[in-house]
Amino acid sequence: MKADRSESRRLSRPAMAGLGLILLAAGGYALWKHTNLLPGGAPSAARPAPAAAAAPPREDAPPSRIVRVSPADVRVIDHVRLSTEELLDPQFALFDPAALKLSAPLRLLDEIERPVLYAEVVNTSDRYVALSPKAAIAVFDGSRALDLRQAWSLPAHLYPGERVPVALTGRVERYTEVKTDWLPAKRAALPGPRPKLDVSVENTEASVGTGTLNFTYRYRYKYVTVHGRVRNDSPAEVESVKAWVSLYDAQDQLSGAAFQELRLPRLKPGESAPFQVNVKQHGANFARVEIVYDADAR
C-alpha cells in the first residue's frame, strides 16, 4: 500500500529552530572534545596553574649587635689612624688644636727677589706632645686665595714650648688674612716617645755666596753655616735625625730658616757626632740660632 504524499506536512518554524539549536550544540560539544584530545591538551590560558610549592619554614635570624640609624650621624676623622686599644679606651682624646698657634707670617725676599712667607708653629700646651701635627694654611689677598705651598713638613713630635719654622713659597705681593685648619692629631703625655738627644750649636759662620740665574743674572746672598753636635742620651740606638734651624735677628724676628735631615751615622747610647747646616739669611743680620730636632729610635 502506497502512502499518500499529499497527506505529509512540513515541520513548523518553531520545530525547525529547536532542531537547529540542537545541531549547533552537538557540533560545539564535538569540537571541544576534538581539541581537548589533541597533543598539548587545552590552551595555556585554560590550563590549571600548578599548585605552588609549600614555602619552607622560616628560621628566626640570629640576633645582631648592629643598630642602624637613619639618618646616621657619621663622624669621619681623616689623616688619623687609631688602634683598637685607642678606639675602645673611653679616656682616649685627640690633641687639642687650640694649643697649636701659628704666628703672623713675615714676608721676606730670597736671593733672587722672590717673596717667602716665614711663620712659626708653637705648641702652647704644658702637658701634651702633639704627634704628627699638620696644618692646611690658606693665605688671602682680599677675597683671593694665594697659591702657596709649604716648603717642608712639621716634625712627628712637637713638644710643649717648641717653635718650628714654616716657609710658604709662591707668588705673593701682599696678604690680608691667614686661615689655619689644624688636622686631627694624636697626643702623648710627657716625657713623650721621642728619643732624648742633646743637640747643641758649637759655632756659626756668616758668609756671602753668589749664583747665576739663566746664565746671565748674577746675584749675591747671605747665609749662615751652623756647626753643631748631636749626642744620644737615650737608651736605644738613634737614626734619621732631622733638624729645623731658625735664625733670629736682634728684634727676635725670623730672618731665615731651613730644614735638613742630618748626615749622621747610627748613634748608639752615649755616642755623638758633628753636623753642619747652611741657612740662607733673607732678613736682618741674625743674633741667635734655635734648633728643633726629631729622630727615630731603633
Side-chain angles (χ1 to χ4, degrees):
M1 186 172 92
K2 296 182 179 178
D4 188 3
R5 295 183 178 180
S6 59
E7 295 179 356
S8 63
R9 293 184 301 177
R10 293 183 177 181
L11 295 177
S12 62
R13 288 186 177 183
M16 292 180 65
L19 181 61
L21 290 176
I22 293 173
L23 293 176
L24 181 62
Y29 177 76
L31 179 64
W32 176 82
K33 292 290 288 182
H34 176 72
T35 56
N36 195 35
L37 293 176
L38 286 177
S44 59
R47 294 177 187 172
R58 180 179 178 182
E59 298 181 359
D60 292 337
S64 174
R65 298 178 61 185
I66 299 177
V67 178
R68 302 185 183 277
V69 180
S70 181
D73 185 11
V74 180
R75 183 187 180 203
V76 179
I77 302 178
D78 297 327
H79 313 288
V80 177
R81 295 183 177 182
L82 302 179
S83 65
T84 304
E85 292 77 9
E86 291 167 338
L87 286 172
L88 298 179
D89 184 5
Q91 303 299 324
F92 175 79
L94 295 172
F95 186 85
D96 184 6
L100 294 172
K101 302 296 183 182
L102 180 72
S103 65
L106 178 65
R107 182 179 179 275
L108 300 176
L109 297 178
D110 66 5
E111 62 272 18
I112 56 175
E113 303 299 317
R114 294 177 303 188
V116 181
L117 293 182
Y118 282 112
E120 289 181 299
V121 173
V122 184
N123 181 2
T124 63
S125 173
D126 58 354
R127 299 176 55 192
Y128 295 109
V129 180
L131 303 181
S132 300
K134 293 182 180 179
I137 304 174
V139 183
F140 295 86
D141 180 9
S143 60
R144 181 174 63 92
L146 303 179
D147 186 14
L148 304 178
R149 66 178 184 88
Q150 298 184 40
W152 52 73
S153 60
L154 298 176
H157 311 93
L158 188 59
Y159 274 59
E162 288 186 336
R163 307 163 65 91
V164 179
V166 175
L168 302 174
T169 60
R171 296 179 60 87
V172 50
E173 296 301 324
R174 64 167 192 153
Y175 73 92
T176 57
E177 188 177 3
V178 178
K179 292 184 178 294
T180 306
D181 182 17
W182 297 104
L183 302 181
K186 298 179 184 179
R187 72 183 188 186
L190 294 174
R194 186 175 66 186
K196 185 178 181 181
L197 304 181
D198 180 21
V199 181
S200 58
V201 177
E202 296 183 336
N203 62 76
T204 58
E205 297 178 5
S207 306
V208 175
T210 60
T212 303
L213 180 64
N214 296 331
F215 303 101
T216 56
Y217 176 70
R218 294 186 60 85
Y219 58 89
R220 294 162 56 90
Y221 61 93
K222 295 180 180 180
Y223 70 95
V224 176
T225 302
V226 179
H227 300 273
R229 178 169 290 273
V230 176
R231 186 180 71 244
N232 182 9
D233 291 340
S234 67
E237 293 185 354
V238 172
E239 63 181 2
S240 301
V241 180
K242 307 173 184 65
W244 289 258
V245 184
S246 302
L247 303 179
Y248 296 90
D249 60 18
Q251 282 71 42
D252 206 32
Q253 295 288 329
L254 274 172
S255 61
F259 163 76
Q260 181 175 316
E261 183 169 349
L262 304 181
R263 297 180 179 179
L264 298 175
R266 183 179 298 175
L267 297 177
K268 296 181 180 180
E271 289 185 341
S272 66
F275 70 89
Q276 174 181 315
V277 178
N278 292 331
V279 186
K280 292 180 180 179
Q281 180 179 277
H282 302 316
N285 292 334
F286 80 102
R288 64 182 181 90
V289 180
E290 292 290 340
I291 298 177
V292 173
Y293 78 89
D294 206 355
D296 298 328
R298 296 291 295 177

